[in-house]
Amino acid sequence: MDQRKRITLKDLAAKAEVHYSTVSRVMNPATRHLVADDVAERILRMADDLGFRPNRIAAGLRTRRSGLVGVVLPDISNPVFAPILAGLEGVLASQGYVPIVVNVGADKARQRFIIDQMMGRQVDGLILATAEREDPVLDYCVRQSIPVVMVNRGEDLGRVPCVVSDNTVGMRLAVDHLVTLGHRRIGHIAGPDSLSTGHQRKQGFISAVRRHKLRKGEWLIVEAANYGREAGREACRALLGQSPGLTAIAAGNDLLALGCYDHFREEGIACPGGISVVGHNDMPFVDALTPALTTVRIAVHEMGARAAILLLARIADAGAEVASVVLCPQLIVRGSTAPPAD
Amino acid sequence: MDQRKRITLKDLAAKAEVHYSTVSRVMNPATRHLVADDVAERILRMADDLGFRPNRIAAGLRTRRSGLVGVVLPDISNPVFAPILAGLEGVLASQGYVPIVVNVGADKARQRFIIDQMMGRQVDGLILATAEREDPVLDYCVRQSIPVVMVNRGEDLGRVPCVVSDNTVGMRLAVDHLVTLGHRRIGHIAGPDSLSTGHQRKQGFISAVRRHKLRKGEWLIVEAANYGREAGREACRALLGQSPGLTAIAAGNDLLALGCYDHFREEGIACPGGISVVGHNDMPFVDALTPALTTVRIAVHEMGARAAILLLARIADAGAEVASVVLCPQLIVRGSTAPPAD
DNA sequence: CTGAAAGCGCTTACAG
DNA sequence: CTGAAAGCGCTTACAG
């Protein structure tokens, strides 16, 4: 009923008339030199002919390395995560690792359950895209002392390496751009303050408007319920309800900006004619919106790649210094921002 | 340097003063009833206290089940695949399986290499989103007789179960809609003919226009180089170059439709005023485009879920009938289609 | 109901 | 350079 009986080290050794430990040495490039060249060559050829694929599960049991990395995602339908995953996967694969990815949502109990499962599967390390600024799951990982790195979102304590975009700079780019266009009344739709991205971007917004000496009342912040489009629409309504005179909005991410578009459409507000919007992330296809979204591009793919590199380093040497990586974002000016009407 | 020495069956058995086979029976719900209730309870409590997580790699070596499913993706940056992956992952997780996902691109040699790696990792089955109508990699999988199911794209021979959307119906919905609006000169931008989606949608288009008795010359097909946005732009240029009188385009997918938008923008063509467009897939956020894209919604999430269910059935019983699943698509009318100008 | 034993397919000191 | 042996952490017939 099932796959043709898989051939093993021993089968191959029998055919080659050598001890199976010799075959083992040949199959592993690192130990191949221990075997006479002619023998190695012969065995390699036979392995190829027979389609011998060493059982990595068995090897992993012996070496205590699974070659598996657990990737914990909060929301795979958010387009930011696809390129991050692609970046991760690329470098992991190049080193013979493979990601096991689980989409867990925001529930901490479930995250912990999943991480337990992953540890049961002997993952060599964990990449978390789910971290909150204070995160019990992260505490748990630290206690277990399993190699972990965070991606996109960090924690406040900095116990664990993380790879993030420079959110302060990102918001400053956004605000500088708006101010340069002539805006003085600017709103910010913040992401959840429990997430480092939400918090840092908000702080970045505040320090940027202060730098430009905007007075209290000229700027305003509303925190969205989450990073989704619908939450953005609601926050936009609240923001403009509180301060109808705003001429520009810096959104905490592109989905929130999309929610602003939705609100504008409902209310017949022109963009950028009536109000300007800047997003954050430059997620796929926001250039195809009308107006094309001005946004802060973060290096998502690179973020994934760097996180994988950091994790691999940590797997190789758990004592390595906790170094984090902060990637520089870039302002992408498109059609959703213009000088204010008045 | 590394994680606190992981505790094993034997450690736990020593503490509980029973044989470790007893502990094994307790840890597995299916064999728990073989052990006296009070003993089981005591062991369970101790396991919990000590944070014992059975080593699934070791168990897998013994049982010859890894609980791993390989997922082979052609292009993770295409937004269709995120919901498919989410659907897959959801049902796999509910059954104690976990996906290992690799983004391989279209290269068949690399696909085969990756599949070899996955088989070396003892995956219990494979989900391929990379299938072509004639696919050497699929031949290889069949020869290895490893459980496989295809998702989104099928093969011509139908040797392997697959879960796809009904592409013929999808194109008919699109064409019927356009004809109902009054269009008689309709172009189709086809995806690659080597892919079942490209081929079937093209055939669906042809039979739909014939049903409506459009004459030769009233309809036209151009095949895009791939399913990407840029290829769509080029194909749109070619299509309108060959037949400037077209009043509507049925695109092979949303990305191709997006490419049409790009071309229209370049050339100052109004949509839907000058020309109407229908997409396919209803990928995330095409409702936020201007005009919002009329498209054929395919049940992506469900597609993933069904594929996982099929695979699990096949893993349980390799002799099971090869049943495929064809999901019914749905037309979503939005702003990119309108009656022709003349 | 519980224990003792074999074995899954590898890796890697240890000899020679 | 090659072999013989132990052992990674489990599961599961087989006894009792």
Side-chain angles (χ1 to χ4, degrees):
Chain A
M1 83 178 194
D2 36 21
Q3 43 246 75
R4 57 163 68 13
K5 185 174 171 311
R6 308 190 58 114
I7 114 151
T8 70
L9 266 189
K10 278 186 183 160
D11 300 333
L12 191 53
K15 299 236 192 233
E17 296 179 306
V18 294
H19 188 103
Y20 66 91
S21 58
T22 301
V23 179
S24 170
R25 290 187 186 101
V26 171
M27 294 314 296
N28 180 207
T31 51
R32 184 132 67 220
H33 68 276
L34 295 171
V35 176
D37 286 356
D38 56 328
V39 180
E41 211 167 299
R42 186 164 54 91
I43 293 178
L44 243 19
R45 199 163 26 233
M46 297 186 76
D48 205 44
D49 289 350
L50 299 177
F52 171 55
R53 278 179 300 263
N55 181 332
R56 286 213 49 177
I57 291 238
L61 181 59
R62 193 45 237 246
T63 60
R64 297 149 162 298
R65 306 216 139 209
S66 63
L68 258 25
V69 165
V71 178
V72 186
L73 262 29
D75 177 15
I76 206 177
S77 72
N78 182 328
V80 216
F81 294 111
I84 290 180
L85 187 56
L88 279 172
E89 196 270 316
V91 350
L92 290 179
S94 75
Q95 305 298 317
Y97 283 81
V98 108
I100 67 186
V101 355
V102 178
N103 190 222
V104 292
D107 182 64
K108 290 297 161 188
R110 180 160 160 74
Q111 287 176 13
R112 165 147 175 190
F113 172 78
I114 290 297
I115 285 175
D116 267 329
Q117 286 226 336
M118 287 179 160
M119 290 178 61
R121 287 176 187 282
Q122 315 306 114
V123 293
D124 293 333
L126 243 26
I127 296 199
L128 305 184
T130 47
E132 305 199 1
R133 288 169 55 211
E134 312 214 341
D135 197 321
V137 172
L138 209 53
D139 299 343
Y140 182 64
C141 293
V142 169
R143 248 179 286 130
Q144 304 290 320
S145 55
I146 180 172
V148 185
V149 352
M150 297 175 290
V151 67
N152 192 31
R153 304 172 178 174
E155 66 148 358
D156 279 354
L157 263 44
R159 296 166 293 182
V160 165
C162 70
V163 181
V164 295
S165 179
D166 191 325
N167 293 305
T168 313
V169 166
M171 282 313 293
R172 174 154 166 198
L173 289 172
V175 171
D176 284 1
H177 169 62
L178 292 172
V179 169
T180 303
L181 285 172
H183 293 277
R184 300 289 300 176
R185 302 183 56 84
I186 305 176
H188 173 50
I189 298 180
D193 200 61
S194 55
L195 303 180
S196 67
T197 48
H199 182 70
Q200 291 169 1
R201 288 173 196 171
K202 184 177 69 181
Q203 296 305 325
F205 175 81
I206 293 173
S207 72
V209 294
R210 291 221 175 110
R211 251 187 96 258
H212 288 293
K213 311 242 192 302
L214 298 210
R215 286 186 312 264
K216 268 236 155 121
E218 292 188 320
W219 56 272
L220 184 66
I221 298 176
V222 165
E223 183 176 324
N226 57 55
Y227 266 130
R229 177 173 173 182
E230 177 54 21
R233 195 179 61 79
E234 281 161 19
C236 184
R237 166 179 307 280
L239 195 65
L240 296 181
Q242 278 176 59
S243 184
L246 295 180
T247 62
I249 296 176
N253 81 354
D254 292 340
L255 254 20
L256 295 174
L258 242 183
C260 292
Y261 278 32
D262 290 336
H263 178 69
F264 299 162
R265 206 170 293 133
E266 266 175 38
E267 301 292 326
I269 299 172
C271 171
I275 193 164
S276 290
V277 177
V278 186
H280 208 110
N281 289 2
D282 195 27
M283 70 179 210
F285 311 118
V286 293
D287 63 314
L289 301 175
T290 310
L293 184 66
T294 294
T295 189
V296 177
R297 177 179 294 167
I298 67 177
V300 260
H301 192 279
E302 165 118 24
M303 225 151 80
R306 293 297 202 103
I309 291 169
L310 241 47
L311 182 67
L312 261 18
R314 215 152 175 76
I315 288 172
D317 174 12
E321 237 183 308
V322 174
S324 287
V325 173
V326 178
L327 267 22
C328 193
Q330 182 190 0
L331 181 73
I332 305 292
V333 176
R334 290 194 277 243
S336 64
T337 46
D342 35 309
Chain B
M1 83 180 198
D2 34 21
Q3 43 244 72
R4 57 163 67 11
K5 184 173 171 315
R6 307 190 58 115
I7 113 151
T8 71
L9 267 190
K10 279 186 182 160
D11 299 335
L12 191 52
K15 298 237 193 232
E17 298 180 304
V18 294
H19 193 258
Y20 67 90
S21 59
T22 301
V23 178
S24 171
R25 290 186 186 102
V26 171
M27 295 313 296
N28 180 209
T31 49
R32 185 131 67 219
H33 68 277
L34 296 171
V35 176
D37 285 356
D38 56 328
V39 180
E41 211 166 299
R42 186 163 55 91
I43 292 178
L44 243 19
R45 199 162 26 230
M46 296 187 77
D48 204 45
D49 288 350
L50 298 177
F52 170 55
R53 279 179 299 263
N55 182 332
R56 287 215 47 178
I57 291 238
L61 180 59
R62 192 45 237 246
T63 59
R64 298 147 163 299
R65 307 217 138 207
S66 63
L68 258 26
V69 165
V71 178
V72 186
L73 263 27
D75 177 15
I76 205 178
S77 73
N78 182 328
V80 216
F81 294 111
I84 290 180
L85 187 56
L88 279 172
E89 197 270 317
V91 347
L92 290 180
S94 75
Q95 305 298 317
Y97 284 80
V98 109
I100 67 186
V101 356
V102 178
N103 189 220
V104 291
D107 182 64
K108 290 297 163 191
R110 180 159 161 73
Q111 286 177 13
R112 165 147 174 189
F113 172 77
I114 290 297
I115 284 173
D116 267 331
Q117 286 226 337
M118 286 179 161
M119 290 177 60
R121 287 177 186 281
Q122 315 305 114
V123 291
D124 293 332
L126 242 28
I127 296 200
L128 305 183
T130 48
E132 304 199 1
R133 288 169 54 212
E134 311 214 341
D135 197 321
V137 171
L138 209 53
D139 299 344
Y140 181 66
C141 292
V142 169
R143 249 179 287 130
Q144 304 289 320
S145 54
I146 180 173
V148 185
V149 353
M150 298 176 290
V151 67
N152 192 30
R153 303 171 180 175
E155 66 148 359
D156 278 355
L157 263 44
R159 297 166 293 181
V160 164
C162 70
V163 181
V164 296
S165 180
D166 191 324
N167 292 306
T168 313
V169 166
M171 283 312 292
R172 171 150 169 203
L173 289 173
V175 171
D176 283 2
H177 170 62
L178 292 172
V179 169
T180 303
L181 285 172
H183 294 276
R184 299 290 301 176
R185 302 182 56 85
I186 305 176
H188 173 49
I189 298 180
D193 200 61
S194 55
L195 303 180
S196 66
T197 49
H199 182 71
Q200 291 170 1
R201 287 174 196 171
K202 184 176 71 184
Q203 296 304 327
F205 176 81
I206 293 174
S207 73
V209 294
R210 291 221 175 108
R211 253 187 95 257
H212 288 292
K213 311 242 190 301
L214 297 209
R215 286 187 310 265
K216 268 235 156 124
E218 293 188 317
W219 54 273
L220 183 66
I221 298 176
V222 164
E223 182 176 324
N226 57 55
Y227 265 131
R229 176 173 173 181
E230 178 55 22
R233 195 180 60 79
E234 282 162 18
C236 185
R237 166 179 308 281
L239 195 66
L240 295 181
Q242 279 177 59
S243 184
L246 294 182
T247 62
I249 296 176
N253 81 354
D254 292 339
L255 255 20
L256 296 173
L258 242 183
C260 293
Y261 278 32
D262 290 335
H263 178 69
F264 299 161
R265 208 170 292 133
E266 266 176 38
E267 301 293 325
I269 299 172
C271 171
I275 193 164
S276 290
V277 177
V278 187
H280 209 111
N281 287 3
D282 194 27
M283 70 179 208
F285 311 117
V286 293
D287 63 312
L289 301 175
T290 311
L293 185 66
T294 294
T295 189
V296 176
R297 176 179 295 168
I298 67 176
V300 261
H301 192 278
E302 165 118 25
M303 226 152 81
R306 292 296 202 105
I309 290 169
L310 241 48
L311 182 67
L312 260 17
R314 218 157 171 73
I315 288 172
D317 175 11
E321 238 184 308
V322 174
S324 286
V325 173
V326 178
L327 266 21
C328 191
Q330 182 190 1
L331 181 73
I332 305 291
V333 176
R334 289 195 276 243
S336 66
T337 47
D342 36 311

Short mmCIF file of all heavy atoms in Angstrom, two decimals, chain B residues 84-104:
data_model
loop_
_atom_site.label_atom_id
_atom_site.label_comp_id
_atom_site.label_asym_id
_atom_site.label_seq_id
_atom_site.Cartn_x
_atom_site.Cartn_y
_atom_site.Cartn_z
N ILE B 84 -4.48 30.07 0.88
CA ILE B 84 -4.41 28.63 0.67
C ILE B 84 -3.59 28.00 1.80
O ILE B 84 -3.98 27.01 2.41
CB ILE B 84 -3.79 28.30 -0.70
CG1 ILE B 84 -4.74 28.70 -1.83
CG2 ILE B 84 -3.45 26.82 -0.79
CD1 ILE B 84 -4.23 28.42 -3.22
N LEU B 85 -2.46 28.63 2.07
CA LEU B 85 -1.60 28.14 3.15
C LEU B 85 -2.33 28.18 4.49
O LEU B 85 -2.26 27.23 5.28
CB LEU B 85 -0.34 29.01 3.20
CG LEU B 85 0.76 28.54 4.14
CD1 LEU B 85 1.18 27.11 3.82
CD2 LEU B 85 1.96 29.47 4.08
N ALA B 86 -3.05 29.25 4.72
CA ALA B 86 -3.80 29.36 5.97
C ALA B 86 -4.81 28.22 6.08
O ALA B 86 -4.96 27.61 7.14
CB ALA B 86 -4.50 30.72 6.05
N GLY B 87 -5.50 27.94 4.99
CA GLY B 87 -6.49 26.87 4.99
C GLY B 87 -5.86 25.52 5.27
O GLY B 87 -6.34 24.72 6.09
N LEU B 88 -4.78 25.25 4.62
CA LEU B 88 -4.02 24.02 4.81
C LEU B 88 -3.60 23.87 6.26
O LEU B 88 -3.82 22.83 6.91
CB LEU B 88 -2.69 24.10 4.05
CG LEU B 88 -2.67 23.80 2.57
CD1 LEU B 88 -1.30 24.14 2.01
CD2 LEU B 88 -2.98 22.33 2.36
N GLU B 89 -2.96 24.92 6.72
CA GLU B 89 -2.33 24.89 8.02
C GLU B 89 -3.37 24.63 9.10
O GLU B 89 -3.15 23.84 10.02
CB GLU B 89 -1.62 26.23 8.23
CG GLU B 89 -0.61 26.26 9.32
CD GLU B 89 -1.25 26.66 10.62
OE1 GLU B 89 -2.06 27.59 10.63
OE2 GLU B 89 -0.95 26.00 11.64
N GLY B 90 -4.52 25.26 8.93
CA GLY B 90 -5.58 25.08 9.91
C GLY B 90 -5.99 23.63 10.09
O GLY B 90 -5.99 23.12 11.21
N VAL B 91 -6.28 22.94 8.98
CA VAL B 91 -6.74 21.56 9.20
C VAL B 91 -5.58 20.65 9.56
O VAL B 91 -5.75 19.73 10.37
CB VAL B 91 -7.63 20.98 8.05
CG1 VAL B 91 -8.09 22.04 7.11
CG2 VAL B 91 -7.02 19.80 7.40
N LEU B 92 -4.41 20.89 9.03
CA LEU B 92 -3.27 20.06 9.43
C LEU B 92 -3.04 20.15 10.93
O LEU B 92 -2.91 19.13 11.62
CB LEU B 92 -2.01 20.49 8.68
CG LEU B 92 -1.97 20.19 7.18
CD1 LEU B 92 -0.65 20.67 6.58
CD2 LEU B 92 -2.14 18.70 6.92
N ALA B 93 -3.01 21.38 11.43
CA ALA B 93 -2.75 21.58 12.85
C ALA B 93 -3.80 20.85 13.70
O ALA B 93 -3.47 20.25 14.72
CB ALA B 93 -2.73 23.06 13.18
N SER B 94 -5.04 20.90 13.25
CA SER B 94 -6.10 20.27 14.04
C SER B 94 -5.91 18.76 14.13
O SER B 94 -6.46 18.10 14.99
CB SER B 94 -7.47 20.59 13.43
OG SER B 94 -7.66 19.82 12.26
N GLN B 95 -5.13 18.20 13.23
CA GLN B 95 -4.88 16.76 13.26
C GLN B 95 -3.48 16.43 13.75
O GLN B 95 -2.99 15.31 13.56
CB GLN B 95 -5.06 16.15 11.86
CG GLN B 95 -6.41 16.43 11.24
CD GLN B 95 -7.56 15.84 12.05
OE1 GLN B 95 -7.48 14.72 12.52
NE2 GLN B 95 -8.62 16.62 12.24
N GLY B 96 -2.83 17.41 14.33
CA GLY B 96 -1.50 17.14 14.88
C GLY B 96 -0.39 17.14 13.84
O GLY B 96 0.73 16.74 14.13
N TYR B 97 -0.70 17.58 12.65
CA TYR B 97 0.33 17.69 11.62
C TYR B 97 0.82 19.11 11.55
O TYR B 97 0.18 20.03 12.03
CB TYR B 97 -0.22 17.29 10.25
CG TYR B 97 -0.37 15.80 10.08
CD1 TYR B 97 -1.47 15.13 10.61
CD2 TYR B 97 0.58 15.06 9.40
CE1 TYR B 97 -1.62 13.77 10.46
CE2 TYR B 97 0.44 13.70 9.24
CZ TYR B 97 -0.66 13.05 9.77
OH TYR B 97 -0.79 11.70 9.62
N VAL B 98 1.93 19.27 10.88
CA VAL B 98 2.49 20.59 10.75
C VAL B 98 3.12 20.68 9.35
O VAL B 98 3.70 19.72 8.86
CB VAL B 98 3.49 20.81 11.91
CG1 VAL B 98 4.90 20.83 11.45
CG2 VAL B 98 3.13 22.03 12.71
N PRO B 99 2.91 21.82 8.67
CA PRO B 99 3.45 21.93 7.32
C PRO B 99 4.89 22.41 7.33
O PRO B 99 5.25 23.28 8.12
CB PRO B 99 2.57 23.00 6.69
CG PRO B 99 2.17 23.87 7.83
CD PRO B 99 2.13 22.99 9.05
N ILE B 100 5.72 21.84 6.48
CA ILE B 100 6.99 22.49 6.23
C ILE B 100 6.88 23.09 4.83
O ILE B 100 6.57 22.39 3.87
CB ILE B 100 8.21 21.54 6.38
CG1 ILE B 100 8.26 20.46 5.34
CG2 ILE B 100 8.19 20.88 7.74
CD1 ILE B 100 9.39 19.46 5.61
N VAL B 101 7.04 24.39 4.77
CA VAL B 101 6.73 25.05 3.50
C VAL B 101 7.98 25.60 2.84
O VAL B 101 8.84 26.18 3.48
CB VAL B 101 5.62 26.15 3.65
CG1 VAL B 101 5.07 26.21 5.04
CG2 VAL B 101 6.08 27.49 3.17
N VAL B 102 8.04 25.34 1.56
CA VAL B 102 9.17 25.83 0.80
C VAL B 102 8.65 26.51 -0.46
O VAL B 102 7.74 26.04 -1.12
CB VAL B 102 10.14 24.70 0.44
CG1 VAL B 102 11.28 25.23 -0.40
CG2 VAL B 102 10.70 24.07 1.70
N ASN B 103 9.26 27.63 -0.74
CA ASN B 103 8.91 28.47 -1.87
C ASN B 103 9.96 28.19 -2.93
O ASN B 103 11.09 28.60 -2.81
CB ASN B 103 9.04 29.92 -1.38
CG ASN B 103 8.49 30.90 -2.38
OD1 ASN B 103 9.08 31.95 -2.57
ND2 ASN B 103 7.40 30.59 -3.02
N VAL B 104 9.58 27.44 -3.98
CA VAL B 104 10.64 26.96 -4.87
C VAL B 104 10.75 27.64 -6.21
O VAL B 104 11.74 27.47 -6.90
CB VAL B 104 10.48 25.46 -5.18
CG1 VAL B 104 10.75 24.66 -3.95
CG2 VAL B 104 9.13 25.17 -5.76
#
